[in-house]
Amino acid sequence: MDERTYDRWSDDTLRGLRDGIDALGLDEIDATLSHGVLEIEVEDGARLFVSRQPPLRQLWLATPDAAFKFDGVEGRWVDRRAGRELGEALSEALSEVVSRALGRAVRLEVSG
């Protein structure tokens, strides 16, 4: 993938994820996108990050418990180790973090 394609696709993905999180309408979650980093903060102070990694042409997801690297594969961001897509991994991680913060099980779906 060339640099221009990566830049456009990764920026569109991060904006889509931010908009998807905002669309959840939860006051307990704040999503901010700045300089290629999507920071997601939960009211208890837990943070998740999705960031661009231009030299590697990847997106990385950092959660309080783990980190994941996603490659662009046939129009999808895929974690080659686990075979999961970015939206799925972020939904799972965000659900866990928000569930802990609220003290009850919550299932959130985010796509970008």
Side-chain angles (χ1 to χ4, degrees):
M1 163 183 348
D2 65 48
E3 185 176 352
R4 176 178 281 158
T5 301
Y6 170 79
D7 288 343
R8 184 175 43 250
W9 187 24
S10 61
D11 286 341
D12 288 348
T13 298
L14 291 175
R15 279 192 299 273
L17 291 172
R18 180 204 55 210
D19 294 347
I21 291 166
D22 289 345
L24 294 171
L26 296 174
D27 293 334
E28 296 85 5
I29 304 172
D30 182 39
T32 305
L33 178 58
S34 180
H35 304 294
V37 177
L38 175 61
E39 179 180 355
I40 306 158
E41 185 171 2
V42 180
E43 71 177 7
D44 71 346
R47 289 191 172 115
L48 296 89
F49 298 90
V50 182
S51 60
R52 296 177 69 233
Q53 300 299 318
L56 302 172
R57 305 286 197 271
Q58 293 178 326
L59 289 179
W60 289 3
L61 168 61
T63 74
D65 302 317
F68 307 91
K69 298 175 183 179
F70 296 87
D71 294 302
V73 179
E74 298 177 2
R76 304 173 300 140
W77 292 104
V78 178
D79 175 2
R80 292 184 190 264
R81 289 182 303 149
R84 293 190 308 172
E85 291 188 36
L86 176 58
E88 176 187 358
L90 179 58
S91 294
E92 183 178 308
L94 192 55
S95 294
E96 290 175 13
V97 170
V98 171
S99 293
R100 280 193 295 243
L102 299 179
R104 61 182 168 85
V106 175
R107 179 67 188 148
L108 304 172
E109 295 291 329
V110 179
S111 61

